[in-house]
Amino acid sequence: MARSWYSYVGGNPQEPSSYFRASVKPGCITGTTICAIYAPNGDTNPSPFSSNVQRYISDALINLTPQPSLPVGSKKYVYLKQQA
């Protein structure tokens, strides 16, 4: 399944409607709030989240690190940023 980057625009971070497709890879990586997710293509918003993506979002908000964190060197699906 094809994936794209989606920027978090606010609202419930567990809802696909809180994200819009980005045309570039995000420059953010770590911080205190969700920045972007790499998720299955939808249209303007990503497709409904798998349980893995939901867990990555939750773990990112708890640990304040890109997810998944293990195994080391794995592809990250959730990036964070510092709040403005």
Side-chain angles (χ1 to χ4, degrees):
M1 176 177 287
R3 293 179 175 269
S4 295
W5 282 103
Y6 291 86
S7 61
Y8 176 65
V9 294
N12 181 345
Q14 293 285 1
E15 291 294 326
S17 61
S18 296
Y19 299 85
F20 287 108
R21 187 189 302 255
S23 59
V24 297
K25 184 177 178 181
C28 54
I29 296 178
T30 60
T32 58
T33 188
I34 300 292
C35 173
I37 60 170
Y38 193 60
N41 287 347
D43 187 16
T44 302
N45 308 105
S47 294
F49 295 148
S50 68
S51 59
N52 282 344
V53 171
Q54 290 175 335
R55 187 177 71 248
Y56 298 156
I57 291 168
S58 293
D59 289 352
L61 292 169
I62 290 170
N63 296 325
L64 304 180
T65 58
Q67 293 297 316
S69 57
L70 295 173
V72 174
S74 62
K75 169 74 177 164
K76 306 302 183 207
Y77 292 91
V78 178
Y79 283 7
L80 298 120
K81 66 180 177 180
Q82 292 299 330
Q83 287 185 316

